[in-house]
Amino acid sequence: MALFKRKSQIDDDLGFGTQPVSENQRLMNADGSSNVRRTGLPIFRSSDTYNWLISMSWKKFLFIIFLAYLVVNTLFATLYVSIGIEHLKGADGISPRDHFFDAFFFSAQTISTVGYGHISPDGFATSCLAAFESMLGLLAFALATGLLYGRFSRPTAKVVYSPNMVIAPYKGIKGLMFRLANLRNNQLIEIEVQVVMSYNELVEEKKIRRFYPLDLERSKIGLLSLSWTVVHPIDEHSPIFEKTAEELADAEVEILVLLKAFDDTFSQTVHTRTSYRDEDIIHNAKFSSIFSRDNSGRTTLDLSRIGKTEMIEVSAST
């Protein structure tokens, strides 16, 4: 027996299929990534290297660049010492440690094509190695520059979502709401949002995953200058009409949010996603105001209060 009234379509599953979730696992993480662990893949995938480098955090990216720089210079320093430190003119170190660091800093000067001239190669083998390293440095720094440009120029949306959804009185009924805003000072135009509810349903004694697109009070706006409270009216046509928090938890409900907008800075369409579990839904609450006025009467938007809520008393007739 169906727990929710459903108007499922063949494409409503968003690519997640009908496999049920268990142990309260998300289909989609709060940051918009799919909660799927992939196995059976090779350890090194050259086809995925660019995507990995371009999408990782800045901290990891800078660490990898720094680590690669140290490893390459250490390798070439070892080769220079192996050929013979006497083939590096100006390397006046005495101990093996001094010899290594003379070769290391010569390698750093060569790979970056700085060439201070204090140390220079002497001999055919050392000169060939230095020439090869300088060519490798040109290619490596060109690649690193391209990755830096790609990371800076990649169109992304910096949209902040309220950490919780609320169910509050809305136009004589109730509404399921969440709030969002643009973190950047640029303009997002032609914003469109899609909200889909996912839940487990028992069909012929077998659990399957169902998907239900939720009707919204407004699914499109022209400009996101302030914040936007997205509302799903909980009327008799809503799948969660008269459903309790316990029923939502039993069905392991998850609300998937997909947002699309046009970024006028990049002149491209950007996408962002998030999801809410049933425990993220606060009943009989409303969002606190995040607007105020400064001394000149200008509207002020406090984004630190994007998820601020307050409980409300709801009459039995509501």
Side-chain angles (χ1 to χ4, degrees), residues 34-41:
S34 298
N35 189 24
V36 177
R37 185 171 67 90
R38 300 187 178 194
T39 60
L41 297 174

Side-chain angles (χ1 to χ4, degrees), residues 180-182 187 223-228 290-291 299-301 303:
L180 61 91
N182 185 15
Q187 293 292 338
L223 189 67
L224 185 59
S225 297
L226 300 174
S227 66
W228 181 15
I290 58 175
F291 301 106
T299 301
T300 300
L301 180 65
L303 292 177

Side-chain angles (χ1 to χ4, degrees), residues 64-80:
I64 288 176
I65 294 295
F66 180 71
L67 181 63
Y69 183 77
L70 288 180
V71 169
V72 170
N73 281 298
T74 300
L75 174 62
F76 276 97
T78 304
L79 293 175
Y80 287 123

Side-chain angles (χ1 to χ4, degrees), residues 1-8 197 199-206 208 210 212 239 241 243 247 251:
M1 181 178 178
L3 178 61
F4 301 97
K5 295 178 292 182
R6 182 168 53 87
K7 53 176 183 181
S8 180
M197 186 185 76
Y199 60 94
N200 285 341
E201 184 177 75
L202 192 63
V203 178
E204 297 179 354
E205 299 184 354
K206 179 182 178 181
I208 62 174
R210 297 292 195 187
Y212 193 115
F241 181 65
K243 293 295 184 294
E247 289 175 314

Side-chain angles (χ1 to χ4, degrees), residues 227-243:
S227 66
W228 181 15
T229 300
V230 181
V231 181
H232 163 63
I234 306 177
D235 54 19
E236 60 273 11
H237 303 293
S238 171
I240 60 174
F241 181 65
E242 296 183 342
K243 293 295 184 294

Side-chain angles (χ1 to χ4, degrees), residues 115-128:
Y116 291 121
H118 173 64
I119 303 177
S120 59
D122 181 28
F124 182 76
T126 306
S127 297
C128 287

Side-chain angles (χ1 to χ4, degrees), residues 4 26 71 85 100 113 155 161 163 168 186 190 195 207 226 236 245-246 257 286 288 298 300 303:
F4 301 97
R26 289 178 179 267
V71 169
I85 197 65
F100 174 81
T113 68
Y161 296 90
N186 65 334
E190 299 178 4
V195 181
K207 274 189 178 182
L226 300 174
E236 60 273 11
E246 290 75 16
V257 178
K286 67 177 183 178
S288 303
R298 188 178 182 182
T300 300
L303 292 177

